Amino acid sequence: MSAPGEQAAIAPATDEAAYRFPRHRRSVGRARAALREQLAIWGVTDEPAETAVLLLSELVTNAVEHAKTSPGREIGTRFGFCDGALRLEVADANDDLPVPRPAKDDDEDGRGLALVIALADRWGTCPRRDGIGKQVWVELKIPTGGAELTS
């Protein structure tokens, strides 16, 4: 179910879902909800699901905070399974790559990428599929039986 301002497209094999969200703080919660719904369809629950939702939340938050999007440009998300791992991708129109930085004890932000590094099995960046900007991705290995994909 798509909320106003977002578009959903699910691949025919149902092993991938993609959404686009406006660059707005509310989009973080909407992205989390979309992922939770998709994970439920795939049968991914408990700790793997919560970790995936937390990772996606960090990536979308970074895109909302740092993407220099002009009107009409949105933040893209894609969820899917690749080589036995759940892959989450977030694309935005900013070419600047994320750089981990140490956060001081009294800093209110700056820990998101450290959290991604700590929780993801793999993560990285690549040029955006649509040209301008970048894509940041994470992968989580899902325990056997944690995802039932239907063709």
Side-chain angles (χ1 to χ4, degrees):
M1 214 174 276
S2 298
E6 68 188 59
Q7 298 173 340
I10 299 177
T14 69
D15 62 349
E16 186 176 282
Y19 296 84
R20 294 184 336 176
F21 298 95
R23 184 177 171 232
H24 192 279
R25 287 184 174 176
R26 284 183 292 212
S27 293
V28 177
R30 290 177 177 156
R32 285 192 305 254
L35 178 58
R36 279 190 182 107
E37 185 176 317
Q38 191 60 48
L39 291 174
I41 291 167
W42 288 334
V44 178
T45 60
D46 302 324
E47 186 178 330
E50 291 307 312
T51 300
V53 169
L54 178 60
L55 288 169
L56 180 70
S57 183
E58 292 300 330
L59 297 183
V60 174
T61 297
N62 283 347
V64 166
E65 293 294 320
H66 303 293
K68 299 169 186 163
T69 57
S70 57
R73 296 234 182 241
E74 297 175 306
I75 294 168
T77 62
R78 183 180 305 274
F79 325 133
F81 282 88
C82 180
D83 297 328
L86 174 64
R87 184 175 172 109
L88 309 174
E89 302 171 356
V90 176
D92 64 54
N94 186 346
D95 290 323
D96 296 338
L97 299 178
V99 178
R101 66 176 176 87
K104 297 178 185 150
D105 290 342
D106 58 347
D107 284 349
E108 292 185 18
D109 57 13
R111 293 176 181 80
L113 199 51
L115 191 61
V116 167
I117 292 166
L119 294 177
D121 291 308
R122 291 182 39 188
W123 79 281
T125 62
C126 58
R128 189 175 188 178
R129 290 179 181 173
D130 299 333
I132 299 169
K134 67 175 171 307
Q135 178 185 79
V136 182
W137 55 268
V138 297
E139 289 182 359
L140 273 177
K141 292 183 180 162
I142 302 298
T144 304
E148 301 285 330
L149 298 181
T150 58
S151 305

